[in-house]
Amino acid sequence: MRALLGTLWLALACSSVHATLSKSDAKKAASKTLQEKTQVSGKPAQERGLVVTDLRAEDIVLEHRSYCSAKAHKKHFAGDVLGYVTPWNRHGYDVAKIFGGKFTHVAPVWLQLRRHGREMFEVTGLDDVDQGWVRAVRKQAKGLRIVPRLRFEDWTYEDFQSVLDSEDEIEELSRTVVQVAKGQHFDGLVVEVWNQLLVQKHVGLVHLLTHMAEALHQARLLAFLVIPPAVAPGTNKLGMFTNAEFEQLAPVLDGFSLMTYDYSTAQPAGPNAPLPWVRACVQVLDPKSKWRSKILLGLNFYGMDYSASKDAREPIIGAR
């Protein structure tokens, strides 16, 4: 099984415990300043006794900025590792340069695919593309592939219906994305579209993605697909992407970015990615392990802050 590590997502444990603080406890916690190490360490985390199952929040805060520069590019995992760099946590750009050797693919969240009419497509977000950063990351990590995320943006149901029912539209869409990827010297794309169409027209969407993947491969580019969890969070029901779709697309795609996180809602609050559920999502997709090496298992390196007064949650990221 491959693993997906986000430069924002830091999954140190597969479940977490949340407690409600009283006003007095919250005030004390807010006034307490936890120590942080800022210097580079001479030893890796394993030798410092930091790789444990019983993590303490204080240790994470203390050590999270301290790393072993001598081992920063050493990769321990044998499979592919895809890291996302997101606009809501720009520190990921630095993480990709420092630890580039630990990744095989990096996906900056840059691009959007828009439809303006029949056979009229545009890839936006190109102003966010930082070619200097791309060169710096590739220099630090030889062989690293840059595969930006491409999201279908502002598509209506009518847009999907028109495109999925037309071979000419599918061909023009594929030509557009290949042209942009080649022009920007990317190594491929991570496509995000499945969640936007819910349970409708999945047969047509499989056909579209197959055509896109073939067009990207003809241009010697990679094609990955972001997929929702195969088991709906908090239930035993199948999700929107099942073994049926996986079996059709596995032969033609280079990998699947499996969203095994954000398990709990605010009511009730709970773990972000419990291990039994994560395991079930993989087993439902590929029970016979035929294509297991193409599953990039989503590992989130963040916790959730739940609101006690309303059904709300938000990720706790580095700035907090």
Side-chain angles (χ1 to χ4, degrees), residues 66-301:
S66 178
Y67 63 92
C68 178
S69 60
K71 301 289 186 179
H73 287 279
K74 182 176 176 58
K75 188 169 178 286
H76 298 280
F77 181 68
D80 284 353
V81 181
L82 167 66
Y84 287 92
V85 179
T86 65
W88 53 86
N89 186 17
R90 299 187 66 83
H91 179 57
Y93 287 102
D94 296 325
V95 171
K97 287 190 289 187
I98 296 170
F99 301 101
K102 295 183 181 294
F103 301 97
T104 54
H105 305 79
V106 169
V109 179
W110 281 336
L111 308 179
Q112 306 86 39
L113 177 64
R114 302 179 187 273
R115 182 176 184 266
H116 298 302
R118 182 168 181 79
E119 298 181 38
M120 296 173 61
F121 301 95
E122 179 189 14
V123 174
T124 58
L126 295 176
D127 290 343
D128 294 326
V129 175
D130 186 341
Q131 292 291 355
W133 173 81
V134 171
R135 288 190 294 271
V137 172
R138 284 177 169 157
K139 183 178 180 179
Q140 290 291 333
K142 303 299 181 183
L144 180 68
R145 308 291 185 89
I146 304 297
V147 287
R149 191 203 68 174
L150 175 72
R151 176 180 169 82
F152 283 47
E153 195 77 19
D154 295 331
W155 281 53
T156 65
Y157 177 78
E158 288 72 24
D159 286 327
F160 279 110
Q161 188 173 34
S162 177
V163 172
L164 298 182
D165 291 342
S166 169
E167 293 296 329
D168 290 338
E169 290 240 43
I170 291 175
E171 184 174 339
E172 180 61 24
L173 184 156
S174 301
R175 186 196 66 79
T176 299
V177 298
V178 168
Q179 183 180 48
V180 168
K182 291 288 287 184
Q184 294 291 326
H185 306 291
F186 298 143
D187 298 299
L189 296 169
V190 176
V191 179
E192 183 173 348
V193 64
W194 201 271
N195 280 352
Q196 294 164 260
L197 204 52
L198 300 179
V199 296
Q200 302 164 328
K201 289 197 171 287
H202 280 180
V203 173
L205 196 51
V206 167
H207 176 67
L208 166 64
L209 291 166
T210 299
H211 193 102
M212 281 185 64
E214 290 173 349
L216 286 165
H217 289 159
Q218 287 176 4
R220 297 185 179 180
L221 299 170
L222 301 171
F224 295 88
L225 176 66
V226 177
I227 57 174
V231 179
T235 73
N236 291 320
K237 298 179 181 179
L238 292 178
M240 294 187 295
F241 189 92
T242 68
N243 170 258
E245 292 83 21
F246 181 78
E247 288 287 343
Q248 294 176 74
L249 288 170
V252 296
L253 291 173
D254 296 291
F256 299 84
S257 177
L258 177 58
M259 301 168 68
T260 38
Y261 41 84
D262 294 357
Y263 175 84
S264 297
T265 61
Q267 300 296 332
N272 202 344
L275 183 57
W277 173 70
V278 172
R279 184 181 290 115
C281 287
V282 174
Q283 292 172 339
V284 165
L285 283 180
D286 191 21
K288 297 181 180 179
S289 299
K290 182 178 180 181
W291 303 101
R292 194 69 60 88
S293 64
K294 290 194 174 186
I295 298 176
L296 301 166
L297 184 67
L299 301 178
N300 53 291
F301 274 62

Side-chain angles (χ1 to χ4, degrees), residues 13-20 233-234 261-275 277 300 302-308 310-316:
C14 290
S15 63
S16 55
V17 177
H18 302 270
T20 302
Y261 41 84
D262 294 357
Y263 175 84
S264 297
T265 61
Q267 300 296 332
N272 202 344
L275 183 57
W277 173 70
N300 53 291
Y302 59 86
M304 284 291 185
D305 183 10
Y306 295 101
S307 171
K310 57 183 179 179
D311 186 12
R313 62 178 182 177
E314 62 175 318
I316 302 173

